């Protein structure tokens, strides 16, 4: 029998443990000494590793919560934050920015691109009351067009310069972030947790189908719109800082669902904790496996998420709140 509070406490301990490992792991090796003196004595930890661990945890949790929202909106556990054309929009915005303004960060342009793509998908797919199937079809079409546009820019722009500057961004990574970069994603994540937490019961009802949810007093269209906007903001903030990191929003909600069940009261915090743990751990491997070289963290999440998706597709069964 599942005991969600115990599982959530265990996930919190796991996140703390992997964060401590991440603070120590790196090319500079492990530091001996009291943990209380760590930040004061070790400049590498304080300046480089601590902000990166914090940011990877926030981004991982954000993508996981966005995944929960999108899977609820589409009533499909194979959905993820990028399913509605967000990845295509973010890629197009970032590549255009790098082609035109190579000295500027592509993050804001990526966030704008993701937002515009989502607005277009909603305009196209929302003509029939935001029906999940129409949203998915519109997202697929918009994403395909924007991906083609991204490829065209890469072909026509100075290839060597652009390819070098886009590699890490398109596959996701954190580089050497500063602490202030985590402020906006943290605020958005906290807001999302409150929004989803206060609407957990209505989200449970939405999984029963639109007609049943409406008969139980749920404003289906309004709730679906709110969840989409929440997921878009979380995803856009993650993309703006870390680039495209796939599959976290697919894997984390599904694993959390297996651990605590499908009720959103427990699913949302469990998914957030597992997503944070997954991305912090993936980032540790990304920067240490081939040290001193670093690989994009998105390659690792794709290496795990791709087979996981195929496995999930092979054993997929209908699900609902239980």
């Amino acid at each position: 029998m599942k005991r969600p509070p115990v599982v959530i406490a265990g996930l919190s301990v796991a996140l703390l443990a992997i964060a401590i490992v991440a603070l120590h792991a790196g090319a500079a090796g492990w530091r001996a000494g009291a943990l209380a003196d760590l930040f004061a004595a070790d400049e590498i930890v304080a300046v480089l590793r601590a902000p990166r661990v914090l940011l990877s945890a926030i981004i991982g949790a954000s993508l996981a919560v966005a995944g929960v929202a999108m899977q609820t909106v589409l009533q499909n556990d194979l959905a993820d934050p990028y399913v509605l054309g967000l990845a295509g929009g973010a890629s197009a915005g970032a590549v255009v920015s790098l082609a035109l303004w190579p000295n500027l960060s592509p993050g804001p342009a990526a966030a704008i691109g993701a937002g515009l793509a989502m607005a277009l998908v909603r305009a196209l797919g929302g003509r029939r009351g935001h029906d999940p199937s129409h949203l998915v079809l519109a997202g697929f079409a918009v994403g395909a067009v924007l991906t083609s546009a991204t490829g065209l820019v890469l072909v026509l722009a100075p290839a060597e310069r652009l390819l070098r500057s886009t590699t890490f961004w398109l596959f996701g990574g954190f580089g050497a972030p500063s602490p202030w970069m985590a402020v906006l994603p943290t605020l958005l994540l906290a807001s999302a947790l409150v929004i989803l937490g206060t609407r957990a019961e209505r989200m449970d009802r939405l999984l029963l189908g639109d007609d049943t949810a409406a008969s139980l007093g749920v404003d289906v269209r309004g709730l679906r719109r709110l969840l989409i906007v929440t997921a878009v903001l979380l995803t856009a903030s993650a993309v703006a800082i870390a680039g495209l990191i796939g599959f976290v929003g697919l894997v984390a909600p599904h694993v959390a669902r297996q651990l605590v069940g499908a009720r959103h009261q427990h699913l949302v915090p469990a998914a957030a904790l597992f997503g944070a743990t997954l991305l912090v751990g993936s980032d540790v491997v990304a920067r240490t496996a081939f040290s001193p070289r670093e690989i994009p963290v998105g390659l690792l999440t794709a290496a795990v998420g791709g087979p996981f998706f195929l496995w999930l597709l092979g054993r997929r069964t209908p699900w609902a709140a239980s």
Side-chain angles (χ1 to χ4, degrees):
M1 182 177 180
K2 296 183 177 71
R3 296 184 178 181
V6 175
V7 174
I8 291 172
L11 290 172
S12 300
V13 172
L15 175 58
L16 178 61
I18 195 64
I20 293 174
V21 171
L23 287 174
H24 287 79
W30 289 69
R31 172 183 171 81
L35 186 61
D37 297 331
L38 188 61
F39 289 94
D42 195 334
E43 184 177 358
I44 293 177
V45 170
V47 176
L48 296 178
R49 293 180 189 165
R52 182 160 176 162
V53 171
L54 173 63
L55 195 60
S56 59
I58 295 298
I59 297 300
S62 296
L63 291 173
V65 173
V68 171
M70 292 310 304
Q71 290 175 10
T72 303
V73 165
L74 300 176
Q75 299 170 8
N76 189 323
D77 58 348
L78 299 182
D80 78 347
Y82 298 116
V83 72
L84 297 185
L86 297 181
S91 299
V95 170
V96 169
S97 174
L98 288 168
L100 298 178
W101 305 285
N103 296 323
L104 298 180
S105 169
I112 293 172
L116 291 177
M118 187 65 249
L120 182 57
V121 168
R122 286 191 61 192
L124 296 174
R127 293 181 178 179
R128 300 190 180 184
H130 296 285
D131 179 78
S133 62
H134 288 89
L135 287 171
V136 170
L137 291 173
F140 177 79
V142 170
V145 171
L146 292 174
T147 300
S148 297
T150 301
L152 183 62
V153 173
L154 288 172
V155 169
L156 296 179
E160 184 180 353
R161 171 177 60 80
L162 191 58
L163 286 175
R164 260 200 324 267
S165 57
T166 57
T167 297
F168 257 79
W169 194 91
L170 291 176
F171 290 108
F174 297 100
S178 58
W180 66 265
M181 293 176 65
V183 173
L184 179 59
T186 301
L187 293 176
L188 288 173
L189 176 60
S191 300
L193 291 173
V194 171
I195 290 171
L196 270 61
T198 56
R199 291 162 177 80
E201 187 174 351
R202 279 171 275 182
M203 293 170 68
D204 292 341
R205 294 173 181 175
L206 187 61
L207 296 182
L208 301 174
D210 289 4
D211 293 339
T212 302
S215 70
L216 294 173
V218 177
D219 177 6
V220 173
R221 186 167 184 174
L223 178 59
R224 185 168 281 136
R225 183 185 299 113
L226 178 64
L227 294 178
I228 289 175
V229 171
T230 301
V232 168
L233 291 176
L234 288 174
T235 306
S237 69
V239 166
I241 291 174
L244 299 177
I245 300 176
F247 291 105
V248 175
L250 170 70
V251 173
H254 184 78
V255 172
R257 195 174 290 114
Q258 300 303 309
L259 293 174
V260 300
R263 292 191 180 277
H264 289 85
Q265 177 185 0
H266 305 123
L267 176 61
V268 172
L273 288 168
F274 185 82
T277 304
L278 175 62
L279 197 53
V280 171
S282 298
D283 187 54
V284 171
V285 176
R287 59 186 170 85
T288 59
F290 298 95
S291 181
R293 299 187 64 180
E294 180 178 329
I295 61 175
V297 68
L299 292 180
L300 292 180
T301 59
V304 173
F308 182 88
F309 180 83
L310 294 175
W311 171 79
L312 180 60
L313 187 64
R315 67 181 297 274
R316 183 170 181 260
T317 56
W319 54 279
S322 60

